[in-house]
Amino acid sequence: MLKFHNYDIVFAEIPDEVSLAINITNCPNACKNCHSLWLWKDEGEALNEESLSFILGEYLSSITCVALMGGDREPKEIDSLAKFVKEKFNKKVAWYSGKDEISDEINLKNFDYIKIGSYKEELGALKHRTTNQKLYKLKNGEIIEDITYRFWKK
């Protein structure tokens, strides 16, 4: 069962989007020097269609995207929630995964953005040109662009 720690409106996670970022707990990746250690624990409130509907009810008119931050332990549930958001609320959906490959258990048509890549301190996060992490823009279930460069300083 997916659980979340907190949520907030953010502007930096997905370029050109006002995103409602939902921080999902019980992360299985255990990346060395992770900046979100509190998300390793299996705690928080259930994240399901009911709780997501409640949260979105508060922010629907203020956002353009729902960013699911984590959930690598339950990719089928992530996929189900992404489909729910797109069908019921007509919002874009992003998924920040800490895995190095896109899970076979999701349907890319349910997502507009997917970030993959474990955090490797020596390579840096998305804002570093040397990062192994990638943020992809999708359309109709196909990756159309690697937009990782949008995080890099000029």
Side-chain angles (χ1 to χ4, degrees), residues 1-149:
M1 168 179 51
L2 287 175
K3 296 177 187 173
F4 70 98
H5 178 269
N6 63 345
Y7 54 87
D8 203 358
I9 293 179
V10 296
F11 302 96
E13 307 301 346
I14 306 296
D16 304 323
E17 303 289 351
V18 178
S19 299
L20 178 63
I22 302 172
N23 291 308
I24 300 170
T25 59
N26 201 17
C27 180
N29 300 320
C31 299
K32 183 180 176 189
N33 293 320
C34 172
H35 63 72
S36 303
L37 291 175
W38 65 92
L39 296 178
W40 289 18
K41 296 177 183 174
D42 183 13
E43 60 186 24
E45 296 180 48
L47 182 59
N48 52 37
E49 289 182 4
E50 183 180 346
S51 61
L52 191 52
S53 293
F54 177 79
I55 294 167
L56 285 171
E58 293 183 55
Y59 296 99
L60 199 57
S61 64
S62 303
I63 63 168
T64 61
C65 183
V66 174
L68 301 167
M69 310 299 284
D72 287 320
R73 200 174 292 279
E74 302 290 341
K76 283 184 181 179
E77 288 186 47
I78 291 292
D79 185 64
S80 178
L81 289 177
K83 183 178 181 182
F84 175 72
V85 168
K86 289 185 83 63
E87 289 179 354
K88 181 161 184 180
F89 297 100
N90 196 31
K91 293 294 178 184
K92 293 178 184 172
V93 179
W95 181 30
Y96 261 53
S97 169
K99 297 292 185 185
D100 292 322
E101 302 287 330
I102 297 174
S103 173
D104 292 335
E105 296 185 77
I106 62 161
N107 181 344
L108 294 178
K109 289 184 178 183
N110 295 328
F111 298 87
D112 299 282
Y113 304 93
I114 292 183
K115 192 275 307 173
I116 59 169
S118 56
Y119 174 69
K120 294 182 174 34
E121 186 176 29
E122 67 276 11
L123 299 176
L126 279 174
K127 68 181 181 178
H128 295 95
R129 291 177 186 267
T130 57
T131 189
N132 63 299
Q133 298 177 327
K134 301 290 180 195
L135 179 63
Y136 296 110
K137 186 172 185 175
L138 293 88
K139 186 171 186 175
N140 298 323
E142 300 287 330
I143 294 173
I144 61 169
E145 185 180 6
D146 177 349
I147 60 172
T148 310
Y149 71 92

